[in-house]
Amino acid sequence: MMGASTISKTTISKSKIRRVILAQAGIGVLLAAVAGVAQQTAVQQTNPLTAVFPLTTKSPEARRLVDEALILYLDRVEQAQAIEILRKAVQVDPDFAMGHEYLAQISLDSAEQVGEQEKAFATRTHATTSEQLVIEWYQDAADHKLISAITKMNDVLNQYPHDKWVVWMTTWWLQSQAQYERVIAVYERSGITDSPGLINNMGYNYAYVRQFDKAFAMMDKYVAALPNDSNPQDSYAEILRLAGRFNQSIEHYRASLVLNPEFYSSQFGIADTYSLMGDQVRARKEYEIGFKKFSSLPELQQILWKTREAATYVREGDYEGPQHAFQAIADYAHSRHNSQAEADTYRQMAMCEQNPKQALVYLGRAEAATQDGKNALRIAITQELAQILRARVEVALKMGNKELANSNLARLATMSESANDKLIELAYHGAAGTILFSEHKYDQAISHLEEDTTNPLSLKLLAAAYQKIGYSAGAKRTNETLTNLNDPTLEQALVVPAFRKCGDSSSCNGNAKSASLKN
């Protein structure tokens, strides 16, 4: 399990930053480090090889609490404990600007995320110039002013390229933007080899670029560093699952629960793994065990695993089954005044809906939720809207309504041009590629779909487009990529099980592309 990010989703989702942004080391926000002098008044011109990020508070106790919280969060992945400790720190010193910022970034409560970000920005004058730079960087990212955010991120990273906490949060953000090669480069350049948390994160990044030998080596180091902790076993299990080693994955999840029976992500990890294996009945039993045992899950975790439980029906080919579950999730998110989660749930309902007209109704509700914008950062709402527009393009094409498809693509194009946001750009490429594919403009479709190769919906069209132009090697490679996707998302549930089933069937002639185009 990795530490949670409050800005990206979400989803999770992943090469959309423009080339200038890529050159500048990616988009984002960055948690500042805790090490350093407690009181400083300006950015020091120190040696970047040894520089650490300053932290300003009038209270030694508040400083101690923040140190403890971030170690718990990064190295132990005890997020709930870390959040409680950070809350104590800002009570001790209400003017502790970076304390508020830390809490804004790791909280699992959407309202708290927004409120603490506001407090961090309001109290930033009590901090040093370097800390103000980070807080303004976070604020720019939250406000979707990404070019400014990137510039500030670069400034801080250039000053503190070997600081453990700066490197950690830089790489975490880049990872959320699917810049896995950049993550690896930043980490390897940092020279940090003794941080269990960074070792953990790097294991995931090597896995995402399918360098599983390196990923497993990182996990071996992580387990050796913290042999009595649950999270190394949990992370090892997730990476084994990404590699398709499901039985070994479950063994490690169970080992995690032996070490700590309250480590709930491992229980839900077991459920996710059974779902990916194709045993949806067993998966739902494991989800229910988790919900009964851990009845007070944090809001965002509750939504996450309820959504994955609903996706088990989709993997069975049942598109009606999850709709009641999704409606309950949407109602829960609405009751919690979490507009982004509500919008995302209605979008997923639309993706499962077989009646295009009803799907448009759900997408209308999704967009209305984004307009409410309650307890959500602007960047999360904007990225969610992009996903809604992409879904609307796909529904419009099912209806044969090219005008509706093109009008929504035009909105996406405008957002993509102005936002400099990777997730929005990916949504645009996926939608554009889908329209061009429907028009049999396969070469043009390929140029867009190749930009969105982490999304199963795009991959299935990319494989078919390669086949259409006679590029059999590309089709084979893409088919293999799609077949080996083991991420428990709804998109995977909509595409991959049918793709695998057709690929194993003689009636499909060993070619899964026909199955991949059905949904």
Side-chain angles (χ1 to χ4, degrees):
M1 180 181 178
M2 300 190 64
S5 171
T6 66
I7 292 208
S8 89
K9 169 116 173 69
T10 129
T11 148
I12 309 142
S13 317
K14 301 146 177 170
S15 170
K16 226 186 225 208
I17 302 179
R18 298 198 178 284
R19 287 154 188 73
V20 61
I21 299 176
L22 290 171
Q24 290 178 320
I27 260 181
V29 293
L30 161 66
L31 261 180
V34 181
V37 180
Q39 295 287 342
Q40 298 190 25
T41 58
V43 177
Q44 293 184 341
Q45 299 301 314
T46 56
N47 183 350
L49 292 174
T50 58
V52 293
F53 194 87
L55 186 69
T56 303
T57 174
K58 63 188 178 185
S59 167
E61 174 65 7
R63 169 62 178 272
R64 184 192 66 77
L65 289 169
V66 168
D67 281 335
E68 180 182 352
L70 290 192
I71 290 171
L72 280 170
Y73 180 57
L74 174 57
D75 288 335
R76 306 287 179 175
V77 195
E78 295 289 352
Q79 191 165 1
Q81 287 182 250
I83 290 167
E84 289 301 320
I85 292 171
L86 286 175
R87 287 171 180 161
K88 292 178 183 178
V90 295
Q91 288 175 355
V92 172
D93 181 3
D95 292 329
F96 192 176
M98 286 306 305
H100 290 297
E101 190 62 70
Y102 294 139
L103 184 52
Q105 296 308 313
I106 78 167
S107 174
L108 292 171
D109 180 280
S110 58
E112 185 172 52
Q113 292 169 5
V114 174
E116 289 299 314
Q117 180 61 44
E118 291 173 352
K119 291 176 183 178
F121 193 73
T123 59
R124 70 192 187 283
T125 55
H126 296 276
T128 65
T129 303
S130 294
E131 293 166 279
Q132 291 180 36
L133 185 65
V134 169
I135 293 168
E136 290 167 5
W137 167 9
Y138 274 120
Q139 188 65 49
D140 285 344
D143 291 339
H144 217 209
K145 299 175 182 177
L146 297 180
I147 296 298
S148 178
I150 292 160
T151 300
K152 291 167 183 172
M153 183 196 75
N154 288 333
D155 287 345
V156 176
L157 185 59
N158 287 337
Q159 292 169 27
Y160 308 102
H162 305 286
D163 182 278
K164 169 183 173 179
W165 303 101
V166 170
V167 170
W168 167 49
M169 288 311 298
T170 302
T171 54
W172 168 253
W173 174 254
L174 289 170
Q175 177 180 312
S176 75
Q177 297 293 308
Q179 298 301 320
Y180 308 128
E181 291 83 1
R182 289 287 301 132
V183 171
I184 292 168
V186 170
Y187 172 74
E188 291 180 348
R189 187 162 55 247
S190 75
I192 299 172
T193 59
D194 59 352
S195 167
L198 285 174
I199 291 169
N200 178 31
N201 289 2
M202 290 311 302
Y204 281 90
N205 282 276
Y206 284 121
Y208 292 146
V209 296
R210 306 199 69 79
Q211 295 182 26
F212 286 111
D213 288 345
K214 291 184 178 180
F216 296 144
M218 283 290 180
M219 288 299 101
D220 288 335
K221 290 180 181 179
Y222 189 30
V223 170
L226 300 172
N228 298 316
D229 280 23
S230 287
N231 196 67
Q233 296 291 342
D234 183 274
S235 293
Y236 215 146
E238 190 168 1
I239 288 173
L240 285 163
R241 189 176 70 203
L242 288 169
R245 300 184 184 182
F246 298 127
N247 290 327
Q248 289 177 272
S249 173
I250 290 173
E251 289 176 6
H252 281 269
Y253 278 130
R254 296 203 183 282
S256 170
L257 288 169
V258 168
L259 289 168
N260 181 2
E262 301 302 312
F263 204 79
Y264 59 77
S265 72
S266 291
Q267 174 59 46
F268 289 107
I270 291 171
D272 289 343
T273 305
Y274 277 118
S275 184
L276 288 167
M277 291 171 71
D279 191 344
Q280 307 311 324
V281 174
R282 179 65 182 272
R284 286 191 286 271
K285 288 181 180 178
E286 296 291 345
Y287 284 120
E288 288 309 307
I289 290 171
F291 290 126
K292 288 179 181 178
K293 183 176 181 180
F294 307 107
S295 57
S296 57
L297 286 170
E299 170 187 316
L300 297 180
Q301 305 291 357
Q302 177 87 1
I303 291 170
L304 170 66
W305 280 303
K306 283 292 184 181
T307 299
R308 290 185 177 178
E309 182 184 36
T312 61
Y313 294 99
V314 178
R315 289 194 174 89
E316 292 175 324
D318 178 1
Y319 297 99
E320 297 297 326
Q323 297 298 45
H324 291 298
F326 277 129
Q327 186 63 62
I329 298 167
D331 292 343
Y332 172 76
H334 184 79
S335 72
R336 303 293 296 177
H337 306 290
N338 188 330
S339 293
Q340 189 272 330
E342 181 183 357
D344 190 60
T345 303
Y346 277 122
R347 178 184 66 86
Q348 293 185 77
M349 288 180 73
M351 293 171 67
C352 295
E353 178 57 54
Q354 299 298 288
N355 183 334
K357 290 184 179 179
Q358 183 60 41
L360 288 179
V361 171
Y362 292 140
L363 290 171
R365 294 177 187 173
E367 185 164 358
T370 66
Q371 291 170 354
D372 284 344
K374 295 176 182 176
N375 293 328
L377 299 174
R378 181 182 170 191
I379 186 172
I381 289 294
T382 307
Q383 290 170 344
E384 186 61 48
L385 178 58
Q387 299 301 319
I388 293 166
L389 294 176
R390 174 181 179 162
R392 195 174 279 146
V393 166
E394 292 166 345
V395 171
L397 290 175
K398 289 181 181 179
M399 299 174 69
N401 190 335
K402 290 293 186 68
E403 182 179 355
L404 180 60
N406 286 325
S407 65
N408 281 277
L409 180 64
R411 291 179 65 187
L412 260 177
T414 299
M415 291 175 65
S416 180
E417 287 298 321
S418 61
N420 291 298
D421 183 293
K422 174 187 175 181
L423 301 185
I424 294 173
E425 189 174 334
L426 283 178
Y428 165 73
H429 282 301
T434 302
I435 288 178
L436 289 164
F437 185 94
S438 74
E439 296 171 346
H440 310 294
K441 298 175 180 177
Y442 302 118
D443 286 321
Q444 294 177 56
I446 287 168
S447 69
H448 288 282
L449 296 169
E450 286 180 335
E451 297 293 325
D452 189 30
T453 55
T454 61
N455 189 315
L457 298 170
S458 292
L459 281 171
K460 70 178 183 180
L461 292 182
L462 181 60
Y466 282 147
Q467 196 73 34
K468 291 288 187 181
I469 67 169
Y471 182 26
S472 58
K476 179 181 179 181
R477 182 180 66 248
T478 308
N479 285 341
E480 290 173 352
T481 298
L482 190 55
T483 300
N484 292 310
L485 282 180
N486 295 306
D487 197 10
T489 63
L490 179 63
E491 288 81 357
Q492 194 272 358
L494 286 165
V495 175
V496 176
F499 193 94
R500 289 171 176 166
K501 183 177 180 180
C502 188
D504 292 337
S505 172
S506 59
S507 64
C508 295
N509 298 318
N511 190 333
K513 72 182 176 65
S514 59
S516 73
L517 296 174
K518 288 181 180 178
N519 297 315

